[in-house]
Amino acid sequence: MIAVLSAGIAPIVALMSFIYLKDRITEPIPLIVRTFLAGAILVFPIMFIQYAITTENLSDNSFIESFLHIALIEEFFKWFIFMFLIYQHSEFDNHYDGIVYAVSISLGFASVENILYLLINGIEYAFWRAFFPVSSHALFGIIMGFYFGKAKMNKHNRKLNILLAFLLPFILHGIYNYILKSFTNLWLYLLIPFMILLWIRALYQLKSANESYFNTYENKNKRKLL
């Protein structure tokens, strides 16, 4: 049991630490813990909804299951929790904050999902779970948080960016699931380049979100000196 918990939590801690330490203006730990726990609790209502859909045979092909049964439900609830808990919060006051809190929600969800999977299927899957499902949740969180940050810090196209904060993670999550479910013999050859592209995009967005705060800060100081 301890080994499973350790294997399930280790990649979560590593990814959350990576995101947090890249934040030049660090966020309060209690609020991060709160969003993490909210993401963790999400697993249970989502599992119930997905079980009900499966029982009623509403997802009858891999496309519907990948995009609607899994990706739509999971990413919508993460998006909703962010809007409910964080979007109007006073601590959400720069672009990179959106990434920190969205990743926290996503990794909270991934932590419970990962532990439950390892308890049922065995600790031998821990490495592959860390590399694919856990890191993919973090990457979808980065993308969601990036667009939430754009929406919060820039009134132009605010509604569009809030929509993109849900739409892009949903589409990417659906593609991820569809590869796993539809290409049983080729999934590894397709998923690795897909994940590499996600990482490249995510690292660019991390850098861009961090730099946007300092660009805004420098511009304000310049205007004060004029």
Side-chain angles (χ1 to χ4, degrees):
M1 181 68 174
I2 294 175
V4 169
L5 290 174
S6 299
I9 291 294
I12 307 292
V13 173
L15 287 165
M16 194 68 239
S17 298
F18 172 73
I19 298 298
Y20 181 78
L21 293 174
K22 286 186 72 68
D23 188 1
R24 299 178 187 180
I25 310 296
T26 55
E27 296 305 298
I29 297 294
L31 187 55
I32 293 175
V33 171
R34 182 183 174 190
T35 53
F36 184 90
L37 292 176
I41 293 169
L42 271 182
V43 171
F44 301 102
I46 287 174
M47 284 176 60
F48 176 79
I49 293 169
Q50 291 173 336
Y51 174 77
I53 291 172
T54 302
T55 302
E56 296 296 326
N57 294 317
L58 297 177
S59 55
D60 56 356
N61 65 57
S62 57
F63 181 87
I64 291 175
E65 185 176 4
S66 298
F67 282 88
L68 303 183
H69 179 194
I70 301 174
L72 177 65
I73 295 171
E74 292 182 7
E75 296 306 326
F76 171 77
F77 274 98
K78 293 178 197 173
W79 178 90
F80 177 80
I81 287 294
F82 191 106
M83 288 293 295
F84 181 74
L85 288 180
I86 296 299
Y87 191 77
Q88 298 297 339
H89 201 286
S90 60
E91 292 291 348
F92 182 17
D93 56 5
N94 76 70
H95 194 169
Y96 194 89
D97 292 354
I99 292 175
V100 173
Y101 295 119
V103 170
S104 179
I105 294 168
S106 292
L107 288 179
F109 180 90
S111 65
V112 176
E113 184 185 60
N114 198 38
I115 290 169
L116 291 175
Y117 186 94
L118 295 179
L119 284 171
I120 295 169
N121 296 284
I123 197 172
E124 61 269 21
Y125 292 96
F127 174 79
W128 293 107
R129 293 284 304 174
F131 190 73
F132 289 113
V134 173
S135 61
S136 68
H137 276 293
L139 295 171
F140 302 145
I142 290 171
I143 294 166
M144 180 180 289
F146 178 82
Y147 286 99
F148 268 130
K150 286 186 70 174
K152 186 64 180 284
M153 304 311 297
N154 189 346
K155 65 181 180 180
H156 300 294
N157 298 319
R158 179 164 291 168
K159 290 182 179 179
L160 175 61
N161 283 317
I162 289 175
L163 176 62
L164 289 173
F166 162 70
L167 198 59
L168 291 180
F170 156 60
I171 292 170
L172 293 169
H173 195 161
I175 293 170
Y176 171 92
N177 293 330
Y178 189 72
I179 290 172
L180 285 176
K181 293 182 177 297
S182 299
F183 301 93
T184 53
N185 296 322
L186 298 173
W187 70 269
L188 191 61
Y189 301 101
L190 296 173
L191 204 56
I192 288 177
F194 178 75
M195 293 294 291
I196 290 171
L197 290 173
L198 277 182
W199 270 108
I200 291 171
R201 180 63 181 174
L203 291 172
Y204 168 78
Q205 289 183 329
L206 288 174
K207 181 180 178 183
S208 176
N210 241 331
E211 289 177 347
S212 69
Y213 172 80
F214 289 94
N215 290 337
T216 302
Y217 182 77
E218 288 175 2
N219 289 336
K220 285 181 179 178
N221 284 341
K222 286 178 182 178
R223 285 196 292 269
K224 288 179 181 178
L225 294 173
L226 292 176

